[in-house]
Amino acid sequence: METQNSKGLRNTDNAKRIDTIHYSSIPWYTFTRHTHVRHFQCKNSVPKFSFGKYSKDKLCLPIAINVHHRLMDGYYIGQYLKEF
């Protein structure tokens, strides 16, 4: 996979696959809440995970998870995080 300098999101065919999970990281900041900008005219139910700044003092890694409630509920998110 090639890394590119770009402005904005790259909406490639791979990003539109139904077996995709979007991951992002903001390692400079800690957060208690994070949401993603959405384009509601596009059909998009891809789960989105964002990670924040890891704190060694508190053993804390902020994680924001955005999923479509009709496709996944808290039980499955919990199962995923157990494996994490």
Side-chain angles (χ1 to χ4, degrees):
M1 183 177 283
E2 184 177 315
T3 304
Q4 300 175 2
N5 290 327
S6 65
K7 294 181 181 177
L9 299 173
R10 289 187 300 271
N11 200 9
T12 64
D13 288 337
N14 277 335
K16 297 175 187 176
R17 291 174 42 169
I18 61 170
D19 61 345
T20 301
I21 298 176
H22 293 172
Y23 290 95
S24 63
S25 179
I26 311 170
W28 308 277
Y29 299 102
T30 187
F31 55 79
T32 57
R33 181 172 184 260
H34 176 71
T35 58
H36 291 270
V37 176
R38 297 257 337 252
H39 187 270
F40 289 103
Q41 293 176 345
C42 294
K43 294 178 181 177
N44 183 353
S45 57
V46 175
K48 294 171 178 52
F49 289 69
S50 297
F51 299 90
K53 183 177 183 178
Y54 174 71
S55 171
K56 291 180 185 178
D57 299 334
K58 299 179 187 177
L59 282 178
C60 180
L61 174 64
I63 303 172
I65 303 171
N66 293 288
V67 297
H68 193 290
H69 71 279
R70 293 185 105 185
L71 302 177
M72 183 183 303
D73 63 18
Y75 173 78
Y76 296 106
I77 294 170
Q79 296 294 77
Y80 179 84
L81 291 175
K82 279 183 186 178
E83 295 296 320
F84 187 168

